[in-house]
Amino acid sequence: MSRWLPLLLLSAGLLAGCPEGLDSEIGAREVELDEAFYRCRVQPILVKSCAGFLCHGDTKRFFRMFGANRLRYGLPPAKRDTPILPEETAYNFSSAAAFVDRKDPAKSLLLMKPLDQAAGGSYHGGATEFGQGDVFLSKEEADFTTLAAWVAGEKEDPACVEPGS
């Protein structure tokens, strides 16, 4: 009987709707990141705030962003000011999504790295190495709350129009 006890307890917990006290990973859902919300609301923030040539508009960075008048994917410098290409948006989405903790969105590096340490953020090299300061000084800033909404799974109308397109 003792070798079956853990299995019985686990089964009972599943049938009872996983009450607290059992493994919280059971039944945990990962956040689904919405492409339309990203394209129409998040990408403009990341391009504006993060894609400068000294920051994440550099091919040497693991997290990099493409944007108009910024780093471009396969375009010559003369065409740098054209609207963002669909391939660039897809790359930017994947790059940003790689910094999202889908099981604990509030701890995502996409949120914590650019947030000032005094507001609960993590160390951000751009704040000190380039004299830029942190991107967000508080969690109440409008752009930060938009990023946090996307990371938490907020949705957008797929027909939304991307700014600058």
Side-chain angles (χ1 to χ4, degrees), residues 1 4 14 33 41 52 59 69 71 121 123-124 127 129-130 137 140 143-145 153:
M1 177 67 178
W4 295 103
L14 289 172
L33 299 173
R41 298 182 60 192
T59 58
N69 294 313
L71 178 67
Y123 170 77
H124 183 230
E129 292 175 31
F130 304 113
L137 298 179
E140 287 74 38
D143 286 350
F144 183 89
T145 61

Side-chain angles (χ1 to χ4, degrees), residues 38 42-51 63 65 92 96 110 147:
Y38 175 83
V42 172
Q43 180 167 256
I45 294 168
L46 295 179
V47 169
K48 169 186 77 173
S49 302
C50 306
F63 174 62
M65 300 295 298
N92 289 349
L110 189 68
L147 291 180

Side-chain angles (χ1 to χ4, degrees), residues 15 23 43 53 62 71 106 143 151:
L15 290 173
D23 186 7
Q43 180 167 256
F53 290 115
F62 178 75
L71 178 67
D143 286 350
V151 163

